[in-house]
Amino acid sequence: APIVLMDVGDNIGAGSSADSTHILAEAQRLGIEGYLQTLYDPASVQKCLEAGVGSNVSLKVGGKTDHLHGSPIPIGGKVRTLFNGKFEDHRPTHGGFRFYDGGLTAVVDTTDGHTIVLTSLRCGNTSLEQMYSAGVDPTKYRIVVAKGVVSPRPAYQPIAKEIILVNTPGVTTSDLEYFEYHRRRGSLFPFDRDADYLPSRQNQ
């Protein structure tokens, strides 16, 4: 059973980019094999389409929406699958959704033991059929990344050995100190750990 890492900073259902590469970069650095995740990257999907199933490709994936979610990561590998990205799930899912569309989707098995599912539309990791429909069995991996906090749980908790929340950088991070503030008032916890709240005169 895989360990499922929740990519908190790239919570797709909360409006994030769906292309954060922070965890992927760390997996590469540590030499982790048996790793699976999705990335929104229509440009890389198009390159896989041009190359064709079974072809070797060199890509720079993810990290293309903004500067908050990491940089594009170089990968090399073979295109395993191409499909239209439409799938249906009869099992319990977050919100009870049944029909999904990730757009044209490409699966790349990399030379360093990763499987990257590249989508052309932003599609949350709330259904295992996202993987099964692409010819990927998530139960066969050591590490599976699910972008979210709560919404992936109905799908991934039944197959997970353990679920770990990873507080990655990004627009949905739970670390409020990550952001740059321009109009924040002073003496506000948790930014000021010794914030002192005194009743105002008008409330006395």
Side-chain angles (χ1 to χ4, degrees):
I3 293 175
V4 176
L5 303 181
M6 296 289 198
D7 191 347
V8 175
D10 195 14
N11 185 342
I12 300 171
S16 67
S17 66
D19 70 347
S20 172
T21 57
H22 291 298
I23 297 179
L24 176 58
E26 192 66 10
Q28 280 192 347
R29 186 184 72 83
L30 295 173
I32 294 173
E33 297 183 355
Y35 174 97
L36 170 66
Q37 82 161 88
T38 65
L39 282 172
Y40 165 71
D41 192 338
S44 291
V45 172
Q46 190 61 37
K47 290 182 179 179
C48 291
L49 178 63
E50 293 169 0
V53 173
S55 298
N56 292 317
V57 291
S58 295
L59 306 167
K60 289 186 176 180
V61 297
K64 295 170 183 170
T65 300
D66 53 42
H67 67 284
L68 299 175
H69 299 90
S71 302
I73 300 293
I75 66 169
K78 181 175 291 187
V79 180
R80 184 202 302 191
T81 309
L82 289 165
F83 89 115
N84 65 10
K86 297 180 186 295
F87 55 96
E88 180 180 357
D89 198 333
H90 295 278
R91 289 181 291 268
T93 62
H94 179 75
F97 292 102
R98 178 176 172 183
F99 299 100
Y100 299 82
D101 186 0
L104 184 62
T105 298
V107 178
V108 178
D109 294 316
T110 71
T111 55
D112 54 356
H114 299 170
T115 296
I116 309 298
V117 179
L118 301 166
T119 69
S120 296
L121 297 176
R122 291 181 174 91
C123 185
N125 303 142
T126 60
S127 167
L128 292 179
E129 285 300 325
Q130 183 179 35
M131 301 300 182
Y132 290 131
S133 296
V136 176
D137 184 350
T139 66
K140 304 299 184 184
Y141 290 82
R142 293 177 58 206
I143 302 291
V144 176
V145 175
K147 293 179 176 297
V149 179
V150 175
S151 60
R153 286 183 180 271
Y156 283 92
Q157 192 155 317
I159 70 164
K161 178 180 179 181
E162 183 179 2
I163 290 180
I164 300 174
L165 273 68
V166 183
N167 188 26
T168 49
V171 294
T172 58
T173 181
S174 59
D175 183 0
L176 298 180
E177 295 182 355
Y178 171 73
F179 300 106
E180 180 180 349
Y181 297 87
H182 298 279
R183 296 180 178 84
R184 177 179 65 81
R185 66 180 176 85
S187 190
L188 184 66
F189 186 86
F191 309 101
D192 302 308
R193 297 294 179 178
D194 57 350
D196 188 12
Y197 293 95
L198 297 175
S200 64
R201 292 183 180 276
Q202 64 184 22
N203 292 331
Q204 291 180 342

